[in-house]
Amino acid sequence: QVQLLQSGAEVKKPGASVRVSCKTSGYTFSKFGVTWVRQAPGQGLEWMGWVSAYNGGTNYAQRFQGRVTMTTDTSTTTGYMELRSLRSDDTAVYYCARDLWGSTADTWGQGTLVIVSS
Amino acid sequence: DIQMTQSPSSLSASVGDRVTITCRASQGIANYLNWFQQKSGKAPQLLISAASNLQSGVPSRFSGSGSGTDFTLTINSLQPEDFATYYCQQSYSSPYTFGQGTKLEIK
């Protein structure tokens, strides 16, 4: 069955970077993309962007442009999300999800908690 | 960006009840509307895509309707496992924004 397994929780200082991984299995990786969504504590869902596993093309939400990089590794069927210049309001659970075009995430990872604190 | 507004923000209901959650888009989005369920401490689960397309494995008591700017999610005969937070999301144009969520609680 389709599964997405994310890396473990991270604690970072303001100004640092974080890289979250998303190991996929159970489907043809290159036929889909990976969407990233985050959720601050007690808050709603925020779409961050999408990366194609076919050609590496990306579509980022404007508010993250210049600060986020999403990539894939087809040899390991893994997606990655790097967020730089972290601030305290980046503290959130970050989810990856399988998504054909970036607009409909049909299977999600378990989430990765990123805490940004001095 | 397209703004998505859900109502109500919270809702109390009993097992066996029928409930309806509404979602309004700030501009027309045809039928490009998804519904997700999120249980406490868990990842969201896609229930419905394209406004009314029930995902495989989702119980038939869930249904979605609407087009343009106004959409509804209906749950018939609530079950204990349905108490969760529900989000709509527009899949019409990037960024693919979510509503603020509707928390469904047991009365």
Side-chain angles (χ1 to χ4, degrees):
Chain A
Q1 72 280 27
V2 176
Q3 289 187 316
L4 292 88
L5 185 62
Q6 298 184 224
S7 50
E10 304 262 12
V11 179
K12 296 292 183 180
K13 293 196 182 301
S17 299
V18 68
R19 190 190 196 206
V20 179
S21 67
C22 175
K23 169 65 177 170
T24 74
S25 61
Y27 69 98
T28 303
F29 184 66
S30 60
K31 290 190 175 180
F32 291 81
V34 181
T35 277
W36 292 88
V37 172
R38 75 178 186 179
Q39 186 170 37
Q43 302 301 307
L45 302 170
E46 180 175 27
W47 186 86
M48 297 180 68
W50 172 86
V51 56
S52 167
Y54 175 70
N55 61 9
T58 55
N59 178 15
Y60 300 144
Q62 179 90 19
R63 68 185 302 246
F64 297 105
Q65 284 274 4
R67 209 160 66 93
V68 72
T69 301
M70 297 176 187
T71 58
T72 59
D73 182 340
T74 54
S75 67
T76 60
T77 67
T78 301
Y80 297 92
M81 187 281 298
E82 180 184 44
L83 189 61
R84 300 177 291 278
S85 302
L86 290 168
R87 308 183 287 256
S88 58
D89 63 356
D90 291 317
T91 294
V93 175
Y94 289 76
Y95 293 102
C96 66
R98 187 182 79 161
D99 194 333
L100 194 58
W101 298 114
S103 58
T104 302
D106 65 12
T107 310
W108 295 58
Q110 83 277 20
T112 296
L113 174 62
V114 175
I115 296 172
V116 183
S117 174
S118 55
Chain B
D1 297 359
I2 297 174
Q3 306 302 314
M4 305 301 293
T5 304
Q6 291 181 230
S7 60
S9 294
S10 63
L11 176 60
S12 294
S14 301
V15 172
D17 284 354
R18 177 176 185 263
V19 300
T20 298
I21 297 168
T22 65
C23 178
R24 175 165 289 177
S26 60
Q27 67 182 73
I29 58 170
N31 70 334
Y32 290 88
L33 193 283
N34 301 321
W35 287 101
F36 293 87
Q37 176 193 68
Q38 186 178 32
K39 297 180 180 178
S40 182
K42 301 294 186 182
Q45 176 191 357
L46 179 65
L47 298 177
I48 289 170
S49 63
S52 60
N53 182 31
L54 198 67
Q55 296 301 290
S56 174
V58 176
S60 58
R61 61 181 179 272
F62 290 90
S63 64
S65 65
S67 183
T69 60
D70 295 315
F71 302 86
T72 60
L73 172 69
T74 299
I75 313 172
N76 288 302
S77 187
L78 272 173
Q79 297 300 299
E81 61 267 28
D82 300 336
F83 292 94
T85 300
Y86 293 85
Y87 293 92
C88 63
Q89 180 205 24
Q90 60 86 11
S91 55
Y92 182 79
S93 70
S94 178
Y96 302 109
T97 43
F98 291 88
Q100 82 279 15
T102 295
K103 186 172 185 178
L104 177 55
E105 299 174 305
I106 300 175
K107 184 182 290 184

